[in-house]
Amino acid sequence: LPLIILIAFQFETNNEEENGGGEFGSLIDLATTGGLNFTLFSIFVSASFLLVVVVALFCGDTVASEASWGSLRYLLAVPVPRARLLAVKLLVALSYSALALLLLAGTALLAGTLRYGWSPLRSTVAAQIEPGEGVLRLLGVLGYLAIVLLAVAGLAFLLSVVTDAALGAVGGAVLLWILSSILDQITALGVVRDFLPTHYSTAWLGLLSTPVQTDDLVRGAISAISYATLFWGLAFWRFTRKDITS
């Protein structure tokens, strides 16, 4: 994705109105001012959907794909406890998800720095941040996104245990996440929105402000960890008790 964005930026015209118009106009202007800003832009455009799909794919495919291939029952024939098998699959899926997140940011930082240079981190919500501190802020953003995406990982993993269709597990997790995002925009729901898993998904923007806003970060982390723990607990409870026929 960062390489595609970088290539797309090369088609920029000299007409400032064309580049400045639209929702992302100012963000695009900032993205081309340095590697840190390009990385921030890449994270921003991918956090709400692309990373959700990637995490759902890794965690939703892990058990359901084995069932659809008919190989899950052969794995269980090995004298290994079901809980251990499921824990290893979950650990591998989370590792791949974390690697994808780091690869996205690392590629964007390398490509953006080579193309636009090394300069302070800028955003639309704060003054410029020195490069050294900017790297720490971006690492904080990645860490918070990793925690928020645990809710997606938990939901996809639960659906992967419940169904034998990997596409259903992955698609179901993404669909429910999108539904939660839509409901979060309905202000008439009031305090109910605070309990939606997506309500604090953009709280990482507080890491770019001066001073750093941490209240929503804490609430978002607690919410994501709670949802992930609930979903994983249900997945282990279901898998250790279900009859495996595929």
Side-chain angles (χ1 to χ4, degrees):
L1 176 64
L3 297 179
I4 294 175
I5 295 175
L6 191 64
I7 294 174
F9 282 169
Q10 306 313 307
F11 293 92
E12 180 182 5
T13 63
N14 293 326
N15 189 343
E16 295 182 357
E17 293 183 356
E18 292 182 6
N19 186 47
E23 180 181 359
F24 301 109
S26 60
L27 292 176
I28 292 176
D29 292 337
L30 291 176
T32 57
T33 59
L36 293 175
N37 302 289
F38 182 77
T39 305
L40 179 61
F41 179 81
S42 300
I43 294 174
F44 179 80
V45 298
S46 59
S48 60
F49 185 73
L50 176 63
L51 291 177
V52 173
V53 173
V54 170
V55 174
L57 178 63
F58 284 132
C59 296
D61 183 75
T62 179
V63 178
S65 61
E66 294 277 7
S68 64
W69 296 336
S71 58
L72 184 58
R73 60 179 181 269
Y74 297 110
L75 288 177
L76 296 177
V78 180
V80 175
R82 289 191 179 191
R84 180 182 176 184
L85 173 64
L86 202 62
V88 171
K89 283 185 169 293
L90 176 60
L91 180 61
V92 172
L94 293 178
S95 299
Y96 275 122
S97 300
L99 180 61
L101 187 61
L102 292 174
L103 184 61
L104 172 70
T107 304
L109 183 60
L110 178 60
T113 301
L114 292 176
R115 176 63 180 86
Y116 302 114
W118 186 254
S119 62
L121 178 64
R122 299 180 177 89
S123 69
T124 58
V125 294
Q128 71 177 22
I129 303 171
E130 292 304 315
E133 184 180 353
V135 172
L136 296 178
R137 297 283 186 101
L138 287 180
L139 290 176
V141 169
L142 292 177
Y144 181 75
L145 283 176
I147 294 176
V148 169
L149 291 172
L150 288 178
V152 181
L155 179 58
F157 196 70
L158 173 60
L159 295 178
S160 182
V161 169
V162 172
T163 181
D164 291 347
L167 182 60
V170 176
V174 175
L175 179 62
L176 291 175
W177 187 263
I178 294 175
L179 178 61
S180 176
S181 299
I182 294 174
L183 292 176
D184 189 46
Q185 303 302 316
I186 303 176
T187 57
L189 293 177
V191 296
V192 176
R193 297 190 304 157
D194 295 343
F195 297 95
L196 294 174
T198 57
H199 184 66
Y200 299 102
S201 60
T202 58
W204 56 269
L205 293 172
L207 292 171
L208 304 177
S209 63
T210 306
V212 175
Q213 304 295 323
T214 59
D215 292 343
D216 286 345
L217 291 173
V218 174
R219 297 188 185 98
I222 294 175
S223 174
I225 293 174
S226 299
Y227 273 109
T229 303
L230 174 63
F231 293 145
W232 288 334
L234 291 174
F236 275 84
W237 179 84
R238 172 61 176 166
F239 189 74
T240 54
R241 287 166 174 79
K242 68 179 297 186
D243 293 332
I244 305 299
T245 59
S246 56

